[in-house]
């Protein structure tokens, strides 16, 4: 086999080699069925069992209380930007949003198509380089929910603490940091995440929602866009993205085998410290984009003083087996995405490469 790349892609992103190898082993014959999981009916006992097991694993690993429903949906997190206001934002109420960056902005834009919205806090004036202070945030009393983006994948910022919204349901887009650290799920009304960053491949979106919020959707919205359709049918209303759900299943078992979510958090801390330390000890050669207090443990954004050198960094890194280090076009600079599945060895190699690059160009 050719050497595995040092994969720092932002999404779709690295998957553990063990998970890929297991999928490879089971590709043509799943559970002695004489066929792959892609070829079998989603109404079969084998598929239903796998669907159930995936839910249970997620419940156990993420500590999801029993009064929450778990859904496996399609359309990406971007479809949730619409489903949330369609289902949960009635006339006369307002959807409250915290503007932290590119993804929060997209969620807000979509909600505006369906109802009243308000921005309760924003860091836009600082180019979204931090999570705004929310200790005294004022949420309108007629808010239907408060929406936060737990990790801004493009800017590289992450909440260290979530706002307290009282009786108002807190909704979290955790697409780029779900299962990377323990979360008190009971603080949230609804959590959603596209799988392709921390949970598996693209094609499936996880929605975790408090029962009372998704029991009955407004009658006027389309069947597939209603949470109650998917809750009532255990995410099997229509053909699910079966292979994606299966890979999430393998990925969850992998997280479990590594000691669960708390162990992942420690592992991620070790990984990112190598790179943030390199930035901080570079005497200004590298500059972190995010404010120190808002730095993400998933997407590490940084710059070099000249764009020429940034281009050279990307080029040389690619020649050395690194993938995905170019920053998002809207922010520029450099970005290393270090999701759960990115091995410590990749981060060590990157830190060494950064030191060496500075030596040659500093
Ligand atoms: C990637 C991402 C999305 C969009 O996900 P899709 O599955 O492509 O729709 C939304 N929010 C965050 C925080 C993301 O990182």
């Amino acid at each position: 086999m050719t050497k595995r790349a040092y994969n720092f892609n932002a999404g779709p992103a690295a998957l553990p080699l063990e998970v890929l190898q297991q999928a490879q082993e089971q590709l043509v014959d799943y559970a002695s069925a004489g066929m792959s999981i892609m070829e079998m009916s989603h109404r079969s006992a084998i598929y239903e069992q796998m669907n159930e097991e995936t839910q249970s694993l997620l419940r156990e690993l993420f500590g999801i209380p029993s009064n929450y429903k778990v859904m496996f949906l399609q359309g990406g997190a971007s479809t949730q930007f619409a489903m949330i206001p369609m289902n949960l934002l009635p006339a006369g109420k307002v959807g409250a949003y915290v503007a932290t960056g590119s993804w929060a902005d997209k969620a807000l834009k979509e909600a505006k198509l369906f109802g009243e919205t308000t921005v309760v806090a924003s860091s836009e004036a600082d180019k979204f380089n931090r999570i705004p202070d929310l200790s005294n945030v004022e949420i309108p009393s007629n808010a239907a929910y408060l929406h936060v983006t737990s990790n801004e994948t493009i800017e590289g910022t992450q909440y260290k603490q979530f706002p307290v919204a009282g009786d108002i349901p807190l909704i979290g887009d955790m697409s780029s940091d779900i299962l990377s650290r323990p979360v008190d799920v009971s603080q949230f009304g609804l959590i959603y995440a596209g799988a392709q960053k921390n949970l598996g491949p693209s094609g499936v979106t996880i929605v975790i929602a408090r029962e009372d919020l998704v029991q009955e959707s407004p009658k006027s919205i389309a069947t597939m866009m209603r949470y109650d359709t998917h809750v009532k049918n255990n995410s099997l209303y229509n053909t699910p993205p079966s292979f994606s759900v299966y890979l999430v299943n393998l990925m969850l078992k992998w997280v479990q085998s590594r000691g669960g979510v708390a162990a992942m958090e420690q592992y991620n801390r070790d990984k990112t410290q190598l790179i943030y330390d390199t930035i901080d000890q570079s005497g200004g050669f590298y500059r972190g984009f995010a404010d120190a207090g808002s730095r993400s443990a998933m997407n590490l954004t940084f710059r070099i003083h000249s764009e020429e050198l940034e281009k050279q960094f990307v080029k040389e890194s690619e020649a050395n087996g690194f993938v995905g280090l170019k920053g998002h076009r809207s922010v520029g600079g450099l970005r290393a995405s270090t999701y759960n599945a990115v091995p410590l060895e990749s981060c060590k190699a990157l830190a060494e490469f950064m030191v060496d690059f500075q030596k040659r160009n500093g």
Side-chain angles (χ1 to χ4, degrees), residues 10-11 75-81 103-104 106 149-154 173-177 192-197 202-205 299 339:
S78 301
T79 298
Q80 292 312 304
F81 294 164
W103 288 116
K106 282 200 168 171
T149 308
S150 62
N151 183 78
E152 284 284 1
T153 321
I154 291 174
D173 176 359
M174 296 194 186
S175 292
S176 49
D177 69 350
Y192 64 101
Q196 70 271 24
K197 281 137 191 167
S202 62
V204 62
T205 305
N299 309 99
Y339 303 121

Side-chain angles (χ1 to χ4, degrees), residues 23-47 50 239-244 246:
Q24 184 178 41
E25 268 169 37
Q26 299 180 331
L27 190 67
V28 296
D29 186 16
Y30 181 76
S32 306
M35 67 184 98
S36 84
I37 196 141
M38 285 179 280
E39 300 169 280
M40 65 180 64
S41 166
H42 56 293
R43 310 281 173 213
S44 65
I46 295 180
Y47 188 83
M50 192 279 294
T239 318
S242 49
F243 194 66
S244 297
Y246 158 72

Side-chain angles (χ1 to χ4, degrees), residues 112-128:
K112 283 182 179 165
L113 299 172
F114 300 97
E116 282 288 316
T117 59
T118 182
V119 173
V120 294
S122 171
S123 53
E124 189 170 10
D126 296 312
K127 298 196 168 115
F128 296 126

Side-chain angles (χ1 to χ4, degrees), residues 307-322:
E307 279 189 34
E308 270 320 301
L309 276 180
E310 287 176 344
K311 275 192 198 134
Q312 196 184 325
F313 182 98
V314 172
K315 209 169 139 197
E316 285 186 26
S317 72
E318 284 168 357
N320 283 279
F322 296 91

Side-chain angles (χ1 to χ4, degrees), residues 44-257:
S44 65
I46 295 180
Y47 188 83
E48 282 198 25
Q49 196 266 330
M50 192 279 294
N51 186 51
E52 277 305 316
E53 185 186 65
T54 310
Q55 273 189 44
S56 315
L57 280 164
L58 185 64
R59 282 184 178 281
E60 190 189 322
L61 284 167
F62 206 39
I64 302 173
S66 58
N67 62 323
Y68 282 69
K69 298 290 185 188
V70 173
M71 290 168 256
F72 301 136
L73 307 183
Q74 299 187 63
S78 301
T79 298
Q80 292 312 304
F81 294 164
M83 275 178 80
I84 288 160
M86 286 171 104
N87 283 268
L88 301 173
L89 180 53
K93 293 248 187 176
V94 56
Y97 284 75
V98 181
T100 43
S102 312
W103 288 116
D105 253 9
K106 282 200 168 171
L108 171 66
K109 262 201 198 100
E110 199 69 8
K112 283 182 179 165
L113 299 172
F114 300 97
E116 282 288 316
T117 59
T118 182
V119 173
V120 294
S122 171
S123 53
E124 189 170 10
D126 296 312
K127 298 196 168 115
F128 296 126
N129 72 347
R130 62 189 169 81
I131 303 295
D133 176 23
L134 295 166
S135 47
N136 291 312
V137 68
E138 281 190 38
I139 308 161
S141 58
N142 67 336
Y145 56 78
L146 174 64
H147 181 282
V148 297
T149 308
S150 62
N151 183 78
E152 284 284 1
T153 321
I154 291 174
E155 287 80 5
T157 61
Q158 188 176 29
Y159 282 79
K160 306 298 162 195
Q161 211 177 336
F162 294 107
V164 176
D167 290 340
I168 295 161
L170 183 61
I171 295 185
D173 176 359
M174 296 194 186
S175 292
S176 49
D177 69 350
I178 191 164
L179 244 51
S180 71
R181 56 176 176 174
V183 166
D184 177 5
V185 175
S186 72
Q187 248 191 298
F188 288 83
L190 186 148
I191 291 169
Y192 64 101
Q196 70 271 24
K197 281 137 191 167
N198 250 322
L199 278 181
S202 62
V204 62
T205 305
I206 312 290
V207 177
I208 301 162
R210 215 176 60 209
E211 225 161 35
D212 59 290
L213 294 173
V214 290
Q215 226 141 33
E216 205 168 340
S217 304
K219 294 281 171 270
S220 59
I221 59 178
T223 311
M224 278 295 287
M225 302 304 275
R226 309 165 63 96
Y227 286 127
D228 63 358
T229 298
H230 302 290
V231 165
K232 281 175 194 148
N233 293 281
N234 200 23
S235 301
L236 295 171
Y237 170 74
N238 72 323
T239 318
S242 49
F243 194 66
S244 297
V245 174
Y246 158 72
L247 278 173
V248 169
N249 178 291
L250 295 185
M251 186 71 191
L252 292 171
K253 285 175 181 158
W254 179 83
V255 170
Q256 192 176 45
S257 74

